Amino acid sequence: MTDLTQLYRQDYSEWARRNRELLRAGRFAELDIEHLLEELSDMGKSERDELESRLLILLAHLLKWQYQYRSLADRWREFDGRSWRVTIVEQRKRLAVRLRKSPGLKSVLDDAIATAYPDACDLASKETGLPMDTFPPACPYRKEQIMDDDYYPD
């Protein structure tokens, strides 16, 4: 076991600092390659997980807006969907920031939408009490609509 491997288990910050120094110095043979690869892989997975999590919440709220908003607004005059709108605005903003900070995620956005959509339907169904078959089997929104600050489904 190398000193860096042991350091990885004991002091992550110091491990990262030392690997940075080795990279800057061009001392590639001394790097803790195994853990560096693991960390890079985890970073990408973590960013993708965040993207899908935000999409899940956003898509669920778009579905609730489309399939339940009118019936609630008709029954309760005071229901104006404000909390749903706040959530939609916030998730769109957080998604835009994430995509700006990690532009490589744009290449997986379509796949992330397809992955998050079934869980969004499940969440919307549980939160509204509407049956799952209320919602289309595939995401009815284009990514441009999902990210459009002015788009709210009818």
Side-chain angles (χ1 to χ4, degrees), residues 4 18-20 22-23 27-33 36:
L4 278 178
R18 286 199 190 159
N19 275 286
R20 250 189 336 268
L22 291 170
L23 278 168
R27 297 165 46 194
F28 305 122
E30 298 173 52
L31 291 169
D32 182 1
I33 299 294
L36 281 170

Side-chain angles (χ1 to χ4, degrees), residues 73-92:
D74 289 344
R75 279 189 269 162
W76 302 314
R77 269 185 282 162
E78 68 275 3
F79 182 80
D80 62 2
R82 190 173 318 183
S83 67
W84 291 355
R85 184 181 298 273
V86 166
T87 299
I88 290 169
V89 167
E90 178 184 357
Q91 294 306 314
R92 281 179 171 152

Side-chain angles (χ1 to χ4, degrees), residues 44-72:
K45 185 178 180 301
S46 175
E47 287 187 343
R48 169 101 186 215
D49 287 348
E50 180 187 351
L51 179 71
E52 289 176 5
S53 175
R54 298 216 175 273
L55 283 166
L56 184 155
I57 294 166
L58 175 56
L59 291 170
H61 278 74
L62 289 173
L63 289 168
K64 291 187 327 183
W65 187 276
Q66 183 171 1
Y67 291 92
Q68 192 182 42
Y69 175 77
R70 281 210 179 118
S71 67
L72 291 178

